[in-house]
């Protein structure tokens, strides 16, 4: 597959129209996008890229749930307790766990967090869907037992 064809496929997967994708890939002929999209090799590449993108997004979602379930809220607490936090520091703070911030008229700040239990439930459901993978703590325990038996 030519480099221009790969770029065309990547643009399609990233949500561009057929004609936009062709132009961005360097094709100037009118109708080039329709001609490209009708090729089997192009459709196979688009299907492969969409599958890879789907897997990536699923894994990113799982990482997000892990972050919600196990992440630290210390930066979030700093946001409440400290006055006049510089913008540079705000940009470096991990505020991923915050779902909503309100500042009522009285000057106080309300922060709502994402539900850690729901994140854990999502992680558990994914574990079960993947065939009942052994939870992390059980894997650690089995590893420790194996090391103990090896040392005996």
């Amino acid at each position: 597959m030519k480099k221009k064809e790969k770029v065309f496929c990547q643009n399609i997967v990233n949500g561009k129209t057929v004609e936009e994708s062709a132009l961005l890939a360097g094709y100037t002929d009118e109708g080039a996008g329709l001609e490209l999209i009708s090729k089997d090799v192009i459709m196979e590449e688009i299907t492969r890229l969409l599958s890879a993108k789907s897997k990536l997004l699923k894994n990113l979602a799982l990482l997000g749930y892990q972050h919600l379930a196990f992440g630290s809220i210390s930066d979030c607490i700093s946001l409440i307790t400290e006055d006049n936090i510089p913008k540079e520091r705000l940009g470096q703070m991990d505020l991923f766990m915050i779902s909503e911030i309100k500042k009522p008229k009285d000057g106080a700040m309300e922060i709502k967090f994402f539900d850690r239990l729901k994140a854990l439930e999502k992680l558990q459901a994914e574990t079960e869907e993947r065939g009942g993978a052994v939870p992390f703590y059980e894997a650690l325990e089995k590893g420790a037992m194996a090391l103990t038996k090896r040392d005996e």
Side-chain angles (χ1 to χ4, degrees), residues 4 22-23 26-32:
K4 286 170 62 170
L23 285 172
Y27 293 94
T28 55
D29 298 342
E30 190 173 320

Side-chain angles (χ1 to χ4, degrees), residues 8 18-19 22 31-39:
F8 172 80
V18 171
E19 290 307 319
L34 290 175
E35 188 177 322
L36 285 165
I37 202 84
S38 66
K39 293 181 179 180

